[in-house]
Amino acid sequence: MLEITDLVKIYPGPVAALQGVSIEVPKGMFGLLGPNGAGKTTLMRIVAGLLEPTSGTVHFNGEDIVADPRLIRRQLGYLPQDFGFYPHLTGESMLRFLLVLKGVQAPGGLKHLAAELLDRVNLSYAAKRKVKGYSGGMRQRLGIAQALAGDPGLLIVDEPTAGLDPEERLRFYRLLAELAEDRTVLLSTHIVEDISVLCPRMAIISNGRFVADTTPSEARGRLAGTIFQGMVERERLAEIDRDFRVTQGILVEGRHRVRIHVPQGGAPPDGFDAAEPTLEDAYLLLAQTNGEGNGSGTSS
Amino acid sequence: MKKLARCGYVAWSEMRAGLRRPVSWMLWGLLVLTGIPLSIVAGIESGDPSVGGELAYLTSVFAQSKTQSTAALVFGAWFLAMSAGLPVIRDFDLGVLEVLRSTPLTEREYVWGKFAGAVGLFLIFWLLYLGMSAGYFHVVRPFELQPRIGPFSVWNYLFPTLLFALPQVLWLAGVPLLLALLFRRPTVIFVCTGVWFLLSTGFLNPVTEGASDFAVFLDLSGRGWLNRTYLSLDRGVEFYNSAQLVPDPVLLWSRLCIAATGLFAVAVAAQRYLRTMRRGGGVGRKHMKSTAPAATEDALDAADPEPITAPARASRRPLGMTSHPLGFGGAIAAIARSELRDLVRRPGMYVFVPLLVLLALLETSPGQGPFGSAVLITPGVVAATQMTVVSYVICLLLLFYTVESLHKERRRGMHDIFSATPVPTGAILLGKAVGNAAMAAIILGVALLADAVMIVIADALGYSTGFNIVPFAATWGLVLIPAFIFWTALLTLLYSILRGRYSAYGAGLAILFLSFAEGWTSSGTWVTNWSGAGFITWSDMGTFALDGTPLLLNRLLYLSLVPLLFVLAIRLYPRRDLDLAKLVQHFRRRFALAGAARLLALAAPAILLAAILGIGGRRGYQGAAATDWEKDYWRANTANWTDFLMPSVSRVDLDLDFEPRERSVSVRGTYTFLNHRDYAYERLPITAGPWDPIEWTMNGDGHDPGGRARLFVFDLEEPLAPGDSVTIGFSYDVTYLHGMSRRPGGPGQFILESGIVMNDYTLSFVPLPGYVPGIGVDEDNRASPRDYPDDFHEGVTEPRFGWAAVHLHVRTRITVPEHYTANGVGRLVSDEVAAGRRTVVWETEHPVGGFNVIAGRYDVKEGNGTAIYHHPAHRHNVEEMSAALDSARHYFSEWFHPYPWELLKLSEFPAYQGYAQSYETNIVFSEGIGFLTRSTPGTNVAFSVVAHEAAHQWWGNMLEPGEGPGGNILSEGMANYAAMLLHQQIHGDRYRMEFSEDRETTYRLNRRFNVERPLVRTMSGRHVIYDKGAWVMWMLQQEVGRENLLAGLRAFLGKYRENPDHPVLQDMLAVVRDFAPDSAAFDAFTAQWFHDVVLPEYQLRDVAKTREGDEWVVRGTVENVGTGRMRVEVAATAGVRWSDEHEGRSVVSEDYRDARTEVEPGPGESAEFVIRAGFDPERVLVDPDVMVLQQRRYAARFRFED
């Protein structure tokens, strides 16, 4: 169990990256969704023991991580949002080096384990290539492999699917889902799809505050009957935008397909039909309104 | 225009960024703090306040050129490497270039903008420095510098900047920029900067007159040209203060090419950058990641995708991973291995190692011995002389590698992943430190291997005593390895505190710079010297006998600081980004009372060791305790006793019981004073050191002398009438050298297990008669040189050295451990061994001027009335030295005066200082002089130094010169002249000519135009006294004839030997004049060479040869652009003059031919010459036999083109 209590982080400026967030993250996959600059990475780095908070506490399985970040490092798998490797090492060497540092042991030896991990992220074919020759997606997969190493009790993955093609993303989803069965996995992303396919629970963070602590189905369910979709001409867009909360607007064959939120009891504009709410609708509404958009979130 | 604006904006941005970097201000602070002192220290040394007259200005264009050419290199190299090279690498790393590329900014604009920014920033700081420097000199005008400050001229500051500073600034900025774009590794930039910094600073001094245009052309700083053209030969104060500096075509082309190379490097960098970007190589780490794929149309259409559930467990093999955090040692090993693997891959390593080896070898090769000679390449000498360069160069390397190593995870974006591992912070830091230190050790090993190869080769060629690992282990192992460990720990702490590579580099460079300055000025102590530079003066006879204890404590001090530095580094290492709002709380927590107590406990050993070294040093023989009494002595006695003339000492009886292990000697003895003057004495002063308690006697009875501050004044019971004697006795124990030294560096006298060398010349172990004027005198209370009237030599002149006006007999009883040999003046009367102690008695059979004692564990080489006592391993030159000593005794007896003593001894002492000293019958040589001189049949240097010192038995001992101007030339100048004569006698013309030419070069390069006085007025100036003195005697020999001069010298020595009137040059000339065949010519010669300062400088002009019948006719003009008039030969020659020597003598080649004539051009005059030769001349040269002392001999030679 990961418990975050009244966490505040203020950068010089001052910039309040976290404004007193509290949450309890149980075992399993937990998604942290939020727009860019919402404070996700700050929160992740604090939990990973890489950043000192201004105030507040973080406990993992009862141990105070803020007071002694060494406690979390023994049981942590961490994939940062932004990372690199020693460019002159091969993927296999790089991974083995990190396995050694993490104190990982395996029955077949580290070489065998490294090969297995690379296989799981579909990097076996590039194991002997130097990291500096890796593409962005390959580097991301190597990052995932190192995060998985050591069977960590807490796995923090920050924007893990950035750079992965659809096939690799699916592979990674499966891997994460498997891992989440017996540990806490904290997944931070601004890609709604990642959350919707993986996380039984999620929180939405905006402007350094949690605006929702919910489940994807609950978030969607609260919007039932309030999402409408229609095709509109360009001239009407401004009018629609003024009168309704727009959750999506896409240009399709010269016309705009727009999804809007109409509060319960309200009337949609002409040409709009009721639509199935998506998690993205819920996220956008919550992020736009800091949790007050549909009254479905649990403000933290 | 837009291009220029964009480029300018890049430059402006770069400058603003640079101004925000602390390291910029740190370097500027260094520039100001050390630049102004540098311009004072590096001022032109022309003129001398002690002899009156003007001094060379610090503000002249020459002085500013000298300063600025050096400062631009010293400061510019590192500053520009950082400000031009690193920002480009950072832009690569951060992927900024890819973003910039999407703007209208072109690659060329970017590169040139970066270059202009770096250069502009440096020039801003440079102009600020010049402004502050000018303000200091012309506005502040410190009182003590006022005689050296000339009128203000902007040109004097700006011209050197344009000519010397700017071209190298362009080079020093352009080349790192290119390297940055080629390699993208900071280490490559710094290693290469180190290469040209060290090679260029190598140009600062060695490039001197006669250096090739090529060497001058390559000199980055321009200082070599300045040396060659204006500084190596002193031009005089008036010239430096008023003349204009005129660059010649070589310099102009050199400066233009250096500037152009810098700009060309930028152009190549721009081109390279263009190519790199086109290949996509500029994509930084962040930009290697593609953005997240956009949602597909299907995805958009679909509602949320189906949740993914975990596949069945069976579908995946369990990996069976477990995690057990590494132990501390295991983690260190893992990190260290990784660092080492990384380091060996770096190309800088393969540039750096050969550089270090090259520098170290160069450090070994220059002459270290007397007469500019080289010393033998012994392992100890090699290890000790290379220590400074090896220490600083490897510390420089460690600076770059340690900082890069600590910063590389951040640089590569791997910091978060790395820091999230469970490896303890201490293991990370120690692992990196171990990796880097291991690399330093490997480099040290490579340098050792190179030295071993060099020594083995040198041994095969006869230049070495063979390889031995022990000296390297004892010096590099004991001193350097702890220094590297400490330095790595310090750098780790600096990085942890400063949290940035720029700041860490700046701080590290500043510390290295200050340490280097401390070593350069010899101001470091055992407490402050961490680097080991200058620690050890090697002696095969026992290096550590002198400073072994403080050296060991010093190393323990810095090793004991290592845990503290690492603990602090671990606490401050930025593994977790700190919250600034909690900084105070954070520090309070980490350094709370308990933490502080732990830190204090860690610091305690270092504090204790520093205290021992500091207090020990202050109480030791170099400390305040040892010198405070000297000031009191001077204050209490100088007014009353300076002019007090002592009676002669006629007899000395000494009983010396040495205990080398304790550095002590028990002294009992008597001095018998004989009143040789025509007035009576009522009291006698004697100076004794702090050797309490001293028991004094007078004429055998106990006595309690009066006096103050260690000047003991004996009130005589009855006045000492002329011709009467009184005997003063004394008894005490002395520890010499007592306590610890404050800083490395050897004393001239010592009682050590490695050897004993003591004398009566300075106050060390025996009382000195009278008041000793030099004690307690330093820069603060140094008196102006005494002004001697022209006729000062008339009447009785006091002796320059020694205590005896006429006759001194010495009996020395010396007791030492059994295995020591102890030598004193005179002949050996007895040698007995009892109870493990050897007691020898030496007694003079003829009068002497003073006495000394030397003891050690020796082998003996006996000659013909001579003996050489040497360290058993130092046999290399013993045969040659013995032959020289025998020859000297034989021929000097024949030429000057029969040698009156039974045995002439020469004994070796450890090379804590390199000097030789000649007491009657007992010459002492430092091991570096003669014994370890690299003497070959072609140079005969060992022969020369022995001949010189042996000649002092006649010139200095038998004939003791008088106190006053020119007196010392009768000692040192005559000794060199005697060495020339002996060379001629034993080895023939060639070696005498080479020896003479060496002396001439040394004199020319070291003479100071405004300071040099006529020989009869010369009080100081080593090269005037030693070298010009010898040369003038040699020319006098040509003037009056060899046999006439020798007869005159015999008469002179006979007249003044054992004479209470001690002679100076005028006395010698008065005697020799009677032997000159032409008194008028003799007077003309002495007028210009003894009573005036002249130096001819011959130049050949319009030299041509024509064939007339069977002969060749060479015509030309010799112009004397110097001063003085001498008849000088001009020769047309063909063939090589010298062939291989025969039985140690030079032999003229059979195919050599010459034809000669004579000319005598006076100052500013030209003389035409015609030489008829029966052969086809190949060259023409003035003074072919090296008979006339002259300026720029090399310019008076001409070679016909084929």
Side-chain angles (χ1 to χ4, degrees):
Chain A
M1 168 77 83
L2 179 69
E3 296 164 89
I4 297 169
T5 310
D6 298 331
L7 206 56
V8 174
K9 177 66 189 179
I10 298 169
Y11 290 112
V15 175
L18 295 176
Q19 303 185 54
V21 298
S22 299
I23 200 164
E24 289 184 0
V25 181
K27 194 173 278 188
M29 184 78 78
F30 188 89
L32 190 60
L33 197 59
N36 291 330
K40 300 188 298 294
T41 297
T42 296
L43 178 61
M44 294 286 186
R45 294 192 76 234
I46 290 172
V47 174
L50 297 167
L51 183 65
E52 187 181 37
T54 305
S55 64
T57 60
V58 179
H59 286 85
F60 182 68
N61 292 339
E63 291 177 324
D64 187 345
I65 294 168
V66 172
D68 187 356
R70 285 175 297 184
L71 298 173
I72 193 65
R73 289 179 195 140
R74 294 178 200 145
Q75 42 197 336
L76 178 67
Y78 180 46
L79 177 69
Q81 179 185 15
D82 184 20
F83 62 91
F85 293 110
Y86 299 148
H88 54 270
L89 292 186
T90 63
E92 184 194 24
S93 304
M94 185 71 245
L95 187 56
R96 278 176 65 189
F97 175 60
L98 288 167
L99 290 176
V100 170
L101 293 190
K102 289 184 172 192
V104 176
Q105 294 172 356
L110 289 188
K111 188 170 184 180
H112 177 73
L113 176 61
E116 285 285 342
L117 283 168
L118 289 172
D119 180 53
R120 294 214 170 173
V121 295
N122 199 23
L123 260 186
S124 296
Y125 69 97
K128 301 292 182 190
R129 275 162 54 181
K130 288 192 174 175
V131 175
K132 67 182 174 185
Y134 277 19
S135 70
M138 291 161 78
R139 203 173 297 208
Q140 190 74 5
R141 280 181 276 156
L142 184 60
I144 292 164
Q146 67 80 28
L148 304 181
D151 215 11
L154 174 63
L155 186 61
I156 299 175
V157 284
D158 193 357
E159 308 284 4
T161 56
L164 299 185
D165 60 35
E167 189 182 342
E168 288 303 330
R169 190 190 296 186
L170 194 61
R171 179 193 286 265
F172 178 60
Y173 287 161
R174 290 210 169 108
L175 201 56
L176 272 188
E178 179 185 332
L179 289 165
E181 285 185 350
D182 53 1
R183 74 198 74 212
T184 303
V185 178
L186 193 55
L187 166 69
S188 159
T189 183
H190 61 269
I191 301 171
V192 178
E193 186 191 352
D194 287 355
I195 301 289
S196 61
V197 300
L198 282 171
C199 300
R201 285 204 58 204
M202 59 174 280
I204 297 175
I205 187 169
S206 177
N207 291 326
R209 294 175 191 279
F210 282 132
V211 295
D213 179 3
T214 180
T215 65
S217 56
E218 185 186 23
R220 280 194 302 268
R222 284 178 184 267
L223 292 179
T226 65
I227 298 297
F228 294 84
Q229 178 173 299
M231 303 295 287
V232 296
E233 301 300 326
R234 184 177 175 179
E235 295 75 32
R236 281 189 68 200
L237 276 180
E239 179 196 334
I240 299 287
D241 200 36
R242 187 186 64 225
D243 296 340
F244 300 94
R245 291 193 182 281
V246 177
T247 62
Q248 198 180 66
I250 299 169
L251 189 62
V252 180
E253 296 170 356
R255 298 183 71 202
H256 291 268
R257 188 169 73 187
V258 177
R259 287 168 72 88
I260 60 172
H261 171 249
V262 180
Q264 292 288 356
D270 291 344
F272 277 74
D273 300 321
E276 188 73 16
T278 65
L279 187 57
E280 189 166 355
D281 294 325
Y283 161 62
L284 288 169
L285 279 171
L286 287 166
Q288 284 171 17
T289 60
N290 279 345
E292 295 165 2
N294 65 355
S296 63
T298 305
S299 294
S300 304
Chain B
M1 189 58 201
K2 279 183 179 172
K3 282 184 179 177
L4 203 62
R6 284 195 296 266
C7 189
Y9 188 74
V10 172
W12 172 239
S13 305
E14 193 57 38
M15 283 163 68
R16 277 195 314 180
L19 284 170
R20 282 196 295 269
R21 283 183 206 124
V23 68
S24 300
W25 294 98
M26 211 180 294
L27 281 171
W28 184 69
L30 265 181
L31 188 62
V32 171
L33 285 176
T34 58
I36 293 175
L38 176 71
S39 59
I40 296 169
V41 173
I44 292 170
E45 290 177 4
S46 190
D48 186 343
S50 67
V51 295
E54 279 197 8
L55 295 174
Y57 295 146
L58 298 169
T59 55
S60 71
V61 70
F62 294 98
Q64 281 300 312
S65 296
K66 189 179 174 191
T67 304
Q68 291 189 26
S69 59
T70 308
L73 175 67
V74 170
F75 299 104
W78 303 109
F79 183 93
L80 288 164
M82 267 192 257
S83 58
L86 296 193
V88 176
I89 296 178
R90 187 197 53 208
D91 286 355
F92 261 113
D93 289 346
L94 296 178
V96 174
L97 297 183
E98 190 73 357
V99 178
L100 291 178
R101 203 183 164 209
S102 65
T103 70
L105 183 76
T106 67
E107 288 81 355
R108 284 193 179 85
E109 289 160 12
Y110 169 81
V111 171
W112 282 102
K114 286 278 179 187
F115 172 74
V119 170
L121 186 63
F122 183 80
L123 289 181
I124 287 173
F125 285 134
W126 183 258
L127 292 175
L128 276 171
Y129 152 65
L130 289 187
M132 291 194 69
S133 188
Y136 182 72
F137 288 132
H138 299 286
V139 180
V140 178
R141 291 182 68 82
F143 176 76
E144 67 278 8
L145 293 179
Q146 283 183 11
R148 302 178 70 187
I149 298 173
F152 175 68
S153 161
V154 175
W155 185 245
N156 287 359
Y157 289 90
L158 286 187
F159 183 61
T161 293
L162 293 173
L163 189 61
F164 295 104
L166 191 58
Q168 55 179 325
V169 166
L170 296 177
W171 199 95
L172 292 169
V175 177
L177 188 63
L178 175 61
L179 292 172
L181 283 158
L182 285 176
F183 298 100
R184 300 186 209 169
R185 286 174 183 267
T187 311
V188 174
I189 293 175
F190 285 118
V191 166
C192 291
T193 300
V195 170
W196 52 72
F197 177 80
L198 293 166
L199 290 179
S200 299
T201 49
F203 274 101
L204 295 184
N205 291 317
V207 176
T208 179
E209 64 146 9
S212 71
D213 286 347
F214 183 66
V216 167
F217 188 84
L218 289 181
D219 178 14
L220 206 55
S221 69
R223 173 74 183 277
W225 177 86
L226 206 58
N227 279 355
R228 183 177 81 160
T229 313
Y230 288 112
L231 303 181
S232 63
L233 291 183
D234 185 12
R235 303 264 188 139
V237 172
E238 192 182 337
F239 178 86
Y240 293 124
N241 288 352
S242 58
Q244 276 306 311
L245 189 149
V246 183
D248 62 15
V250 174
L251 180 74
L252 287 176
W253 275 113
S254 165
R255 306 320 286 165
L256 275 174
C257 288
I258 286 166
T261 309
L263 297 174
F264 180 69
V266 182
V268 174
Q271 192 62 32
R272 168 80 190 179
Y273 175 40
L274 193 63
R275 267 212 315 262
T276 305
M277 296 312 286
R278 281 178 184 160
R279 285 204 307 255
V283 180
R285 169 176 46 81
K286 289 183 178 179
H287 297 266
M288 290 297 284
K289 292 191 288 187
S290 60
T291 50
T296 58
E297 188 67 16
D298 290 344
L300 289 169
D301 287 336
D304 289 339
E306 285 301 307
I308 290 178
T309 53
R313 277 245 172 240
S315 68
R316 284 265 166 208
R317 296 183 305 279
L319 296 175
M321 289 183 286
T322 53
S323 180
H324 304 281
L326 280 177
F328 198 72
I332 290 174
I335 303 267
R337 268 198 308 273
S338 163
E339 291 298 322
L340 263 176
R341 273 199 298 265
D342 188 19
L343 283 167
V344 295
R345 265 192 290 263
R346 296 192 182 192
M349 188 63 59
Y350 303 99
V351 178
F352 179 81
V353 173
L355 168 76
L356 173 67
V357 169
L358 177 71
L359 286 172
L361 296 183
L362 285 175
E363 186 72 10
T364 307
S365 62
Q368 304 286 328
F371 301 127
S373 63
V375 292
L376 284 175
I377 302 172
T378 66
V381 168
V382 170
T385 54
Q386 289 182 0
M387 269 180 64
T388 298
V389 69
V390 169
S391 171
Y392 282 124
V393 171
I394 293 188
C395 282
L396 204 58
L397 179 89
L398 277 173
L399 167 64
F400 302 129
Y401 282 169
T402 303
V403 171
E404 284 303 312
S405 160
L406 290 166
H407 191 74
K408 75 175 178 182
E409 279 77 27
R410 285 188 184 275
R411 185 176 164 227
R412 299 291 179 198
M414 205 184 138
H415 174 73
D416 281 1
I417 289 177
F418 192 74
S419 293
T421 63
V423 177
T425 304
I428 293 175
L429 298 184
L430 277 172
K432 286 174 180 284
V434 168
N436 287 296
M439 181 50 67
I442 291 170
I443 295 171
L444 205 60
V446 173
L448 173 64
L449 190 65
D451 280 336
V453 171
M454 175 187 72
I455 290 170
V456 168
I457 293 172
D459 190 30
L461 297 173
Y463 293 154
S464 177
T465 53
F467 181 72
N468 182 352
I469 190 76
V470 173
F472 287 94
T475 54
W476 293 13
L478 177 67
V479 177
L480 293 188
I481 288 178
F484 298 153
I485 292 171
F486 167 78
W487 178 236
T488 307
L490 181 63
L491 289 172
T492 306
L493 176 60
L494 284 176
Y495 180 83
S496 296
I497 293 172
L498 298 170
R499 296 170 178 236
R501 82 217 280 210
Y502 287 101
S503 307
Y505 281 139
L509 282 172
I511 291 170
L512 271 186
F513 189 86
L514 292 175
S515 301
F516 184 77
E518 193 185 52
W520 193 40
T521 55
S522 302
S523 57
T525 67
W526 289 113
V527 179
T528 60
N529 188 336
W530 60 270
S531 69
F535 256 27
I536 288 179
T537 306
W538 181 261
S539 166
D540 291 340
M541 301 172 81
T543 288
F544 301 105
L546 177 64
D547 282 333
T549 303
L551 191 148
L552 186 65
L553 291 175
N554 167 281
R555 295 295 81 184
L556 287 175
L557 162 63
Y558 283 100
L559 281 176
S560 71
L561 279 170
V562 170
L564 176 68
L565 295 177
F566 269 116
V567 166
L568 285 171
I570 290 164
R571 289 187 180 204
L572 298 169
Y573 179 69
R575 185 167 187 178
R576 182 168 70 159
D577 294 342
L578 294 181
D579 189 84
L580 291 180
K582 293 165 68 180
L583 206 57
V584 174
Q585 179 190 339
H586 173 78
F587 273 88
R588 194 180 295 152
R589 190 173 68 243
R590 291 191 177 202
F591 296 96
L593 204 56
R598 277 195 294 273
L599 289 178
L600 198 63
L602 272 176
I607 293 169
L608 183 67
L609 287 162
I612 292 171
L613 281 169
I615 295 169
R618 279 185 66 79
R619 289 182 176 172
Y621 64 94
Q622 292 172 332
T627 54
D628 282 351
W629 74 268
E630 295 181 355
K631 282 284 181 193
D632 293 340
Y633 173 87
W634 179 85
R635 274 192 290 269
N637 302 307
T638 189
N640 297 330
W641 294 100
T642 297
D643 296 323
F644 186 88
L645 295 174
M646 288 293 289
S648 180
V649 179
S650 62
R651 181 164 185 89
V652 170
D653 272 287
L654 287 174
D655 185 352
L656 308 170
D657 192 344
F658 286 99
E659 186 45 75
R661 187 184 294 273
E662 306 296 328
R663 299 185 175 189
S664 67
V665 56
S666 179
V667 180
R668 271 186 297 281
T670 58
Y671 294 161
T672 301
F673 290 91
L674 167 68
N675 185 359
H676 68 293
R677 303 188 191 275
D678 56 3
Y679 54 86
Y681 285 88
E682 293 185 348
R683 50 189 189 160
L684 289 178
I686 292 181
T687 299
W691 308 324
D692 295 328
I694 304 177
E695 291 178 14
W696 295 98
T697 62
M698 192 180 344
N699 289 329
D701 298 328
H703 191 84
D704 186 13
R708 290 190 295 172
R710 311 225 63 84
L711 184 75
F712 296 87
V713 179
F714 291 77
D715 292 316
L716 303 174
E717 291 156 359
E718 291 180 12
L720 187 66
D724 282 358
S725 297
V726 62
T727 300
I728 304 290
F730 43 83
S731 172
Y732 52 84
D733 293 333
V734 180
T735 300
Y736 195 93
L737 312 152
H738 75 275
M740 278 191 295
S741 56
R742 282 193 76 198
R743 53 177 58 92
Q749 298 179 61
F750 41 82
I751 303 168
L752 297 169
E753 283 192 273
S754 54
I756 297 165
V757 59
M758 306 295 281
N759 62 51
D760 69 347
Y761 188 54
T762 55
L763 188 67
S764 55
F765 78 128
V766 290
L768 299 184
Y771 169 74
V772 183
I775 293 177
V777 174
D778 55 23
E779 290 303 319
D780 297 334
N781 58 350
R782 193 179 303 284
S784 302
R786 183 178 159 190
D787 189 23
Y788 287 84
D790 288 343
D791 60 352
F792 81 97
H793 58 282
E794 291 178 6
V796 173
T797 308
E798 293 296 312
R800 178 173 173 79
F801 316 109
W803 307 350
V806 189
H807 299 285
L808 169 61
H809 282 281
V810 180
R811 184 177 188 277
T812 323
R813 184 173 186 270
I814 309 167
T815 303
V816 289
E818 180 183 7
H819 50 284
Y820 281 62
T821 301
N823 291 334
V825 290
R827 62 180 174 176
L828 186 65
V829 175
S830 67
D831 182 351
E832 294 170 355
V833 175
R837 306 282 290 171
R838 177 184 300 277
T839 300
V840 294
V841 177
W842 292 89
E843 189 162 354
T844 55
E845 66 272 42
H846 291 278
V848 296
F851 58 87
N852 65 345
V853 172
I854 184 163
R857 283 162 279 201
Y858 296 128
D859 278 0
V860 186
K861 162 71 181 171
E862 292 182 347
N864 192 8
T866 63
I868 292 185
Y869 296 81
H870 63 91
H871 178 57
H874 291 171
R875 300 175 179 281
H876 199 270
N877 292 330
V878 165
E879 289 296 333
E880 182 182 349
M881 293 171 75
S882 179
L885 207 55
D886 283 353
S887 305
R889 177 170 179 146
H890 175 78
Y891 285 105
F892 294 163
S893 291
E894 183 182 312
W895 295 334
F896 305 132
H897 189 281
Y899 192 68
W901 296 285
E902 185 179 301
L903 181 66
L904 175 55
K905 307 181 288 292
L906 192 158
S907 312
E908 184 180 13
F909 66 84
Y912 306 134
Q913 272 202 3
Y915 70 91
Q917 203 169 37
S918 187
Y919 278 82
E920 288 88 344
T921 74
N922 202 23
I923 302 171
V924 297
F925 263 46
S926 166
E927 62 186 305
I929 294 182
F931 292 98
L932 293 181
T933 295
R934 193 188 304 172
S935 192
T936 63
T939 61
N940 302 110
V941 176
F943 185 95
S944 300
V945 295
V946 172
H948 175 99
E949 290 305 324
H952 279 311
Q953 296 288 308
W954 285 261
W955 304 105
N957 292 343
M958 271 189 239
L959 182 126
E960 191 169 328
E963 176 66 39
N968 204 17
I969 292 172
L970 286 178
S971 173
E972 300 297 350
M974 287 300 290
N976 259 2
Y977 164 65
M980 281 185 189
L981 274 175
L982 199 62
H983 254 305
Q984 180 94 4
Q985 182 70 35
I986 303 298
H987 299 121
D989 288 331
R990 178 182 179 179
Y991 301 123
R992 196 280 305 164
M993 287 164 58
E994 287 175 356
F995 181 73
S996 300
E997 203 167 330
D998 282 347
R999 304 300 87 228
E1000 179 184 73
T1001 303
T1002 308
Y1003 160 66
R1004 288 187 306 106
L1005 294 179
N1006 291 284
R1007 69 191 293 246
R1008 292 171 68 182
F1009 188 86
N1010 291 81
V1011 177
E1012 188 173 335
R1013 295 285 177 265
L1015 289 184
V1016 296
R1017 306 289 305 161
T1018 293
M1019 284 292 286
S1020 61
R1022 176 183 172 89
H1023 299 290
V1024 174
I1025 292 169
Y1026 280 66
D1027 301 319
K1028 182 182 177 184
W1031 250 103
V1032 171
M1033 287 306 297
W1034 181 260
M1035 290 191 292
L1036 182 64
Q1037 175 181 303
Q1038 312 315 309
E1039 183 62 41
V1040 302
R1042 181 176 185 269
E1043 294 311 315
N1044 291 333
L1045 180 61
L1046 292 179
L1049 291 176
R1050 279 193 295 275
F1052 170 59
L1053 208 154
K1055 178 179 178 182
Y1056 284 98
R1057 180 171 173 248
E1058 300 178 21
N1059 187 335
D1061 178 19
H1062 293 266
V1064 292
L1065 280 177
Q1066 288 89 333
D1067 301 306
M1068 186 270 286
L1069 293 176
V1071 174
V1072 171
R1073 188 175 188 276
D1074 293 340
F1075 293 82
D1078 181 345
S1079 299
F1082 179 87
D1083 290 343
F1085 179 87
T1086 56
Q1088 64 175 349
W1089 287 105
F1090 284 90
H1091 296 279
D1092 197 1
V1093 178
V1094 297
L1095 189 61
E1097 180 174 346
Y1098 301 111
Q1099 292 182 355
L1100 280 167
R1101 305 207 190 290
D1102 308 323
V1103 179
K1105 65 177 178 181
T1106 53
R1107 180 153 196 164
E1108 296 180 8
D1110 291 340
E1111 63 181 8
W1112 287 84
V1113 179
V1114 177
R1115 292 184 174 82
T1117 302
V1118 176
E1119 184 181 358
N1120 180 4
V1121 298
T1123 53
R1125 177 186 295 277
M1126 290 294 287
R1127 177 159 287 275
V1128 62
E1129 281 192 316
V1130 184
T1133 71
V1136 177
R1137 186 167 182 178
W1138 306 108
S1139 68
D1140 293 340
E1141 64 178 34
H1142 177 66
E1143 294 180 349
R1145 286 185 64 84
S1146 51
V1147 176
V1148 178
S1149 302
E1150 287 181 2
D1151 62 345
Y1152 173 76
R1153 281 168 291 174
D1154 67 26
R1156 303 181 181 207
T1157 186
E1158 283 188 338
V1159 293
E1160 192 175 339
E1165 295 175 4
S1166 296
E1168 293 181 354
F1169 64 88
V1170 178
I1171 302 172
R1172 294 183 181 280
F1175 55 89
D1176 182 5
E1178 294 169 358
R1179 59 185 75 82
V1180 177
L1181 61 161
V1182 179
D1183 193 24
D1185 293 340
V1186 193
M1187 292 295 188
V1188 177
L1189 180 66
Q1190 59 188 272
Q1191 185 88 290
R1192 293 192 179 91
R1193 179 177 296 275
Y1194 60 85
R1197 289 168 182 168
F1198 178 85
R1199 186 182 182 88
F1200 291 108
E1201 299 295 327
D1202 291 333

